Amino acid sequence: MVKFSYLQPGKQAVFKDRFVTKVNECLIPYSEGAKGDIGLIGLPFSKTSISLSQASDAPKTIRANLSSFSTFSGEKEKDYKNISIIDFGDVQTHPTDLEESIERLHVSVREMLENNACQRYIMLGGDHGVSFPSIRAFKEHYGEVGVIQWDAHHDVRNLYDGGRTNGTPFRSLIEGGHLKGGNLVQVGIRDYANAKEYHDYTKEKGISVYTMEDIENTGIIPIIKKELERLSELVDVIYLSVDMDVVDQAFAPGCPAIGPGGITSRELLASISAAASHEKVKAMDIVEIDPSKDFRDLTSRLAAASMLRFMYN
């Protein structure tokens, strides 16, 4: 038998520095009885998107971009290579039945939580419609849920013009009794991106809305800290929902609904860090990335960096 000098069958030809641990090396496939620090699940569903979207491809692309980052923080002078990430894989959705797919997402997140394998969790969408079944599962498992939503849009569209879509998750949660309007905070709402009807709906339901003008005048970190303090007195657990179209199109070109005037990538990362430092923050979803529309994985790489800010806090 000939011994190969340079070939490594079944392995990628990737350079390895013995002193560097990449974040993707910390992913551990779930097995029965496994315990870890972070639970990761993919919700690859975008068939209910109101605009053409291949956001269902985002979970695998975001995971791949974890290899772009090391586990060492020079700013904190700390290596997080011992933080274990239990990867529960991706949910197998139904090819044609949309309601069945939504239920499969709900059941899968609920079953992940019932394993009690991790302290905190990250859900990778998919379009923003996946937040509806995911947050429902957290409500059932933990009790009262508070949500901080980074988004250019309210996502409280009516359910008559197309049923449940990526524009309806928070209306679905509120109308279904899974989330109180007063426990929802929306950050980064953009001007000329929503209808007056939905603007009025947020007021009627007591949703706390912070526009881009509010961020410009007050700063995003003070807003996040203020709402964390308020929510922590009302809820059992806080869930972060990050719609990447909150970020300016210059930094996140891979969103189906890109637009100018959003927050910067630095504002996103800093605000996630501020939120993740609170003890009641147990979960984060990242949604609305279409890799087919992206450029050099700019948006998926920003999503991977957002994961780091949530995990390594």
Side-chain angles (χ1 to χ4, degrees):
M1 179 182 291
V2 176
K3 183 179 180 181
F4 295 125
S5 299
Y6 306 108
L7 291 173
Q8 299 182 75
K11 296 181 180 179
Q12 291 182 323
V14 178
F15 173 76
K16 174 61 180 173
D17 184 320
R18 70 188 68 186
F19 297 116
V20 177
T21 303
K22 295 297 183 72
V23 176
N24 65 303
E25 296 176 54
C26 299
L27 267 62
I28 304 168
Y30 173 75
S31 59
E32 189 173 353
K35 297 291 182 181
D37 300 292
I38 305 293
L40 178 65
I41 189 171
L43 309 179
F45 186 61
S46 57
K47 288 184 178 180
T48 56
S49 177
I50 60 177
S51 55
L52 183 64
S53 172
Q54 295 180 37
S56 55
D57 290 335
K60 65 182 178 183
T61 307
I62 297 170
R63 282 188 182 91
N65 276 277
L66 290 173
S67 64
S68 301
F69 300 93
S70 77
T71 58
F72 176 68
S73 167
E75 294 178 356
K76 298 179 181 178
E77 295 190 351
K78 185 174 181 179
D79 199 324
Y80 293 92
K81 62 183 177 181
N82 294 321
I83 298 291
S84 56
I85 307 166
I86 304 296
D87 193 342
F88 287 83
D90 291 351
V91 179
Q92 184 174 8
T93 58
H94 194 280
T96 58
D97 191 328
L98 302 183
E99 287 297 330
E100 170 66 17
S101 290
I102 291 171
E103 183 57 21
R104 288 186 184 188
L105 298 174
H106 168 237
V107 168
S108 298
V109 174
R110 187 188 68 207
E111 290 176 344
M112 175 182 68
L113 297 177
E114 288 172 351
N115 271 279
N116 292 313
C118 306
Q119 298 298 312
R120 295 192 292 168
Y121 299 89
I122 297 175
M123 281 60 61
L124 298 178
D127 66 37
H128 214 160
V130 306
S131 296
F132 168 54
S134 180
I135 293 171
R136 275 178 61 204
F138 275 84
K139 170 68 163 61
E140 292 164 359
H141 187 76
Y142 284 103
E144 206 67 55
V145 178
V147 177
I148 300 179
Q149 169 195 354
W150 283 255
D151 208 326
H153 312 97
H154 293 299
D155 285 358
V156 294
R157 289 177 183 267
N158 75 81
L159 297 170
Y160 307 109
D161 294 332
R164 299 198 198 283
T165 69
N166 62 336
T168 67
F170 296 102
R171 192 184 198 105
S172 296
L173 287 163
I174 292 171
E175 301 293 332
H178 311 293
L179 177 66
K180 295 178 181 177
N183 293 344
L184 174 59
V185 179
Q186 300 184 330
V187 180
I189 299 299
R190 208 169 298 163
D191 220 7
Y192 307 109
N194 298 276
K196 183 179 185 302
E197 173 70 26
Y198 305 133
H199 172 83
D200 294 341
Y201 181 87
T202 63
K203 290 185 175 182
E204 175 192 334
K205 297 299 180 180
I207 299 170
S208 296
V209 176
Y210 293 91
T211 66
M212 283 306 304
E213 184 178 43
D214 294 323
I215 290 174
E216 290 171 6
N217 292 336
T218 306
I220 196 167
I221 302 300
I223 289 171
I224 295 295
K225 289 183 176 180
K226 171 189 173 183
E227 289 299 333
L228 283 170
E229 184 177 350
R230 184 182 69 84
L231 286 175
S232 65
E233 299 296 322
L234 303 173
V235 303
D236 301 301
V237 63
I238 298 174
Y239 183 111
L240 313 180
S241 186
V242 181
D243 184 327
M244 292 296 289
D245 69 27
V246 73
V247 182
D248 192 281
Q249 61 187 10
F251 304 97
C255 297
I258 60 171
I263 67 174
T264 67
S265 56
R266 289 177 63 184
E267 286 176 316
L268 177 67
L269 297 175
S271 57
I272 290 174
S273 288
S277 64
H278 196 284
E279 61 182 6
K280 283 198 173 181
V281 172
K282 297 294 184 184
M284 177 177 73
D285 69 35
I286 302 176
V287 299
E288 295 295 344
I289 298 174
D290 181 346
S292 73
K293 293 179 171 67
D294 212 358
F295 175 74
R296 294 193 65 187
D297 286 342
L298 285 177
T299 316
S300 292
R301 192 168 296 201
L302 178 56
S306 299
M307 289 176 63
L308 270 62
R309 294 301 184 103
F310 178 83
M311 296 187 297
Y312 301 153
N313 214 286

